[in-house]
Amino acid sequence: MPPTDDMDAPITRREFREELTSALSTFEASLEARLEQRLEQKLEAKLEAKLEAKLEAKLEAKLEAKLEAKLDQKLSVFRRELVAELSVEFARHANAVSEQFRSEIRVFDDQYTSLPRRVERLEERVFAPPTAPKRAGRKRSA
């Protein structure tokens, strides 16, 4: 029987079953498509969230590694510059201390510059060969 748009027209059970089966198939397909779409959306959202988290973690790790490498490099340069500066400063202070020490030693040395002459004179007096005692005029008895 051809389909009619008359809602009051009687139909057979077979036609009803065919119509019901067709409607159920259409409904099933529609429902399946919607469920599949929702499932895909939820999966995509979860997958996107996980991917974002993983990507963020990877980016953070890479940035941290790069930052640490740069920091190590800058610290190495800073250390070398600091050592160079401190070496120069230490050398300057060592020279100043050395010069101060030399000037203090010079003060002590200056006290003893005349020492060899003084010692020589003392040695001449103390260790000079004895001279014959002068004889005082003796009275001779006859």
Side-chain angles (χ1 to χ4, degrees):
M1 193 184 228
T4 61
D5 288 337
D6 184 14
M7 295 300 278
D8 292 329
I11 57 169
T12 63
R13 284 186 178 168
R14 181 175 294 151
E15 289 174 340
F16 179 70
R17 276 194 182 157
E18 287 174 0
E19 193 66 35
L20 188 59
T21 305
S22 172
L24 279 176
S25 294
T26 306
F27 178 72
E28 231 176 53
S30 172
L31 183 62
E32 191 174 315
R34 276 195 246 155
L35 285 175
E36 195 172 299
Q37 184 180 15
R38 282 186 183 170
L39 183 62
E40 279 181 15
Q41 286 175 349
K42 284 183 179 181
L43 283 175
E44 280 180 12
K46 283 185 179 182
L47 184 62
E48 189 175 314
K50 283 185 178 183
L51 283 175
E52 274 184 21
K54 283 186 177 184
L55 183 61
E56 187 176 325
K58 279 185 178 182
L59 283 174
E60 190 173 312
K62 282 184 179 181
L63 284 174
E64 190 173 315
K66 282 184 178 180
L67 183 63
E68 192 170 323
K70 254 188 181 176
L71 185 61
D72 284 344
Q73 180 186 11
K74 289 194 184 250
L75 278 176
S76 177
V77 169
F78 177 72
R79 241 182 269 132
R80 277 186 255 130
E81 289 174 354
L82 184 63
V83 165
E85 278 183 43
L86 287 177
S87 294
V88 168
E89 191 69 23
F90 181 73
R92 193 175 313 133
H93 285 289
N95 287 335
V97 167
S98 175
E99 185 58 40
Q100 179 68 29
F101 186 66
R102 281 189 205 119
S103 68
E104 288 177 11
I105 296 287
R106 211 174 294 126
V107 168
F108 287 113
D109 281 349
D110 287 346
Q111 290 177 1
Y112 300 107
T113 54
S114 64
L115 184 64
R117 282 180 291 156
R118 289 186 291 168
V119 169
E120 195 175 287
R121 278 188 267 147
L122 281 173
E123 285 176 345
E124 286 174 2
R125 286 186 191 160
V126 173
F127 299 115
T131 57
K134 296 182 181 176
R135 292 185 182 183
R138 280 182 156 182
K139 292 186 183 174
R140 290 189 187 170
S141 34

